[in-house]
Amino acid sequence: MAEPVLTIEHLTKEYDGQTVLKDVSLQVHEGEVIVIVGPSGSGKSTLLRCINALEDIQGGEIRLRGQKITAGAKNLPQIRQKIGMVFQSYELFPHLTVMNNILLAPMKAQKRAKEEVQAEAMALLTRVGLADKADSLPRQLSGGQKQRVAIVRALCMHPEILLFDEVTAALDPEMVREVLEVILQLAENKRTMLIVTHEMPFARAVADRIILLDDGRIQDDTDPEEFFESPKTELAKRFLQSFEYTRTRKSDD
Amino acid sequence: MNWSYIQKVLPLYEKAALLTVRIGLLGILFAVLVGLLCSAVRQLKIPVLRSVVSAYIELSRNTPLLIQLFFIYYGLPKIGIRTSAEACGIAGLAFLGGSYMAEAFRSGLEAVGKIQHESAVSLGLTGLQAFRYVILPQAFAISIPGIMANVIFLLKETSVFSAISLMDLMFTAKDQIGLYYNTTECLALLVAFYLVILLPVSLLGSLLERRARHAEFGG
Ligand SMILES: Nc1ncnc2c1ncn2[C@@H]1O[C@H](COP(=O)(O)OP(=O)(O)OP(=O)(O)O)[C@@H](O)[C@H]1O
Ligand SMILES: [Mg+2]
């Protein structure tokens, strides 16, 4: 098999003495879409944040195409250019227009020519249905629109892998679909992605592999068919039941 | 209201107003520089200097400008530094204003969430680029109301300069009252001149605030 895009080996992460990721090992191959699920506080966000070194790690190693990722290292900005991260709260830059939000990193970090990036940005904005918003400020957009811009901004850097951390969790229900559809489209185009989500139907549709994280450990790593139809581990069963329970309660009301 | 008197002393007040504005603006300019320096020391967490900055800010904010001026005006010659009253006024304003400006910058920087920085460096920008293109413009826009409030505060504080015999607006008004007892005219002129100085500053402040919210970055 070809060299993985991302390799995580025996990752340990502590927050002041408390271990929140325990011996996590994971390989992500080119074109693979991995969905990480798990109860709140299980360490999903922390795992993504470790991957682009927003958190320092206490043990193990993370490599992107063989290059070691170390917090504070000189080559970190260079490596981060290849890791696209999309946050739950969008984190567009509020003082810049949509277009300038997208242009900033390609021009300043990659030193690419404005015209070239602009053309690409326009093409991507068009693809996500936001061509007419190029000159808007973030505050003039809906949550779903902001999140699509954030995705385009990440894509414009030509990342090797995309990390999504509950990118629809802050959205009104009617805007969730427009964002998830963009991600589904990316999956169809064989983008390498690591996705944290609580949207189970979406997880099932988009994932090549599902990883269940619980208490900082990978408890299950399987294909979506199996995970949802015939979960093997007790934890997976209970995790899925927690969603069933919510649904039953709701229909009772 | 004695209009012929007002006409007669108008040039005096004009001269005094120019002095107030000149010292005020220079003092504020240096205050901004001192404030920026303090912010940089704090932001970069430079060891020893950090404590110096904290001490300076406490001292500067918790003593009256008048006392600070006396220290500079009467103290400096004692250690062999001779300067003009005007230079002392500027130094006093910079000493007082530096801490206020530093606090204004700090509240701006703190208001920009840490996650904006994370978002910027996640895109591959260096820490410096993230600061320059993402954090600073936002922090500056947020700081402007505070900065402008400080500018007005400092301009008003210049009224204690008369204590070190600077012939500013306050000095002139007091002097005239002492000479001719036409208190009404003198106080009216004083208020009018301060308004003429401060109103444009206020307006400029709102204008800046609106403009700074929407920034570009150089090609
Ligand atoms: N900055 C921090 N300092 C201390 N502890 C933290 C910090 N961030 C997260 N934690 C702890 O680490 C653990 C994992 O948190 P994390 O945010 O990764 O969970 P999560 O799986 O993303 O949860 P959720 O589904 O609620 O987003 C939790 O116990 C949390 O309290
Ligand atoms: Mg989380």
Side-chain angles (χ1 to χ4, degrees), chain B residues 184-196:
Chain B
T184 315
E185 286 79 4
C186 286
L187 290 184
L189 278 168
L190 188 62
V191 170
F193 269 94
Y194 269 114
L195 277 180
V196 165

Side-chain angles (χ1 to χ4, degrees), chain A residues 75-131:
Chain A
N75 65 349
L76 188 55
Q78 219 116 36
I79 296 181
R80 277 173 170 159
Q81 290 175 23
K82 300 181 214 155
I83 305 173
M85 175 104 171
V86 183
F87 296 83
Q88 178 179 325
S89 47
Y90 337 117
E91 298 309 321
L92 297 181
F93 308 133
H95 59 301
L96 298 177
T97 61
V98 164
M99 182 52 84
N100 281 336
N101 259 277
I102 302 171
L103 291 181
L104 180 62
M107 283 172 63
K108 297 300 170 187
Q110 295 179 320
K111 314 278 182 224
R112 282 156 65 193
K114 185 172 183 180
E115 292 67 34
E116 178 242 332
V117 191
Q118 218 163 11
E120 184 181 355
M122 224 37 223
L124 285 169
L125 281 175
T126 309
R127 232 169 67 193
V128 302
L130 293 174

